[in-house]
Amino acid sequence: MSRQHDYQVTVRWSGDTGAGYREYERDHDVAAEGKPVLKGSADPAFRGTPERWNPEELLVATLSECHMLTFLSLCARSGIAVTGYVDAASGVMREEAGNSGRFTEVV
């Protein structure tokens, strides 16, 4: 029997400047009940704020976290004590025609 896990987040943006694509604000908040708000933006290459988390960084972080948690789970189930863990993850996104992009690698 499979189990279902539900997740809810709210992304809140209010950066309309009335000047179209080149001028609208990319800054936004990502919230989930009972958790600190993440300050998000676009990558600076896409007119975002460098001090805020961007979706590309969060994707790489998500994959890194999942890898770590799986590793720790496997070790715990096998009786292996892990006293620390560091993962310096990196990702590559290639820009394509029409200003879209796709990830080609996460290590």
Side-chain angles (χ1 to χ4, degrees), residues 27-89:
D27 292 357
H28 57 275
D29 292 337
V30 180
E33 188 173 329
K35 297 181 182 178
V37 173
L38 287 175
K39 297 294 187 180
S41 191
D43 182 291
F46 305 110
R47 306 179 194 283
T49 303
E51 296 80 24
R52 289 176 168 241
W53 288 96
N54 66 59
E56 294 81 11
E57 290 170 324
L58 292 172
L59 174 63
V60 173
T62 297
L63 294 171
S64 178
E65 287 180 80
C66 286
H67 184 264
M68 177 196 69
L69 292 168
T70 300
F71 172 77
L72 293 175
S73 174
L74 292 172
C75 289
R77 291 175 190 190
S78 298
I80 300 169
V82 178
T83 60
Y85 183 99
V86 175
D87 181 17

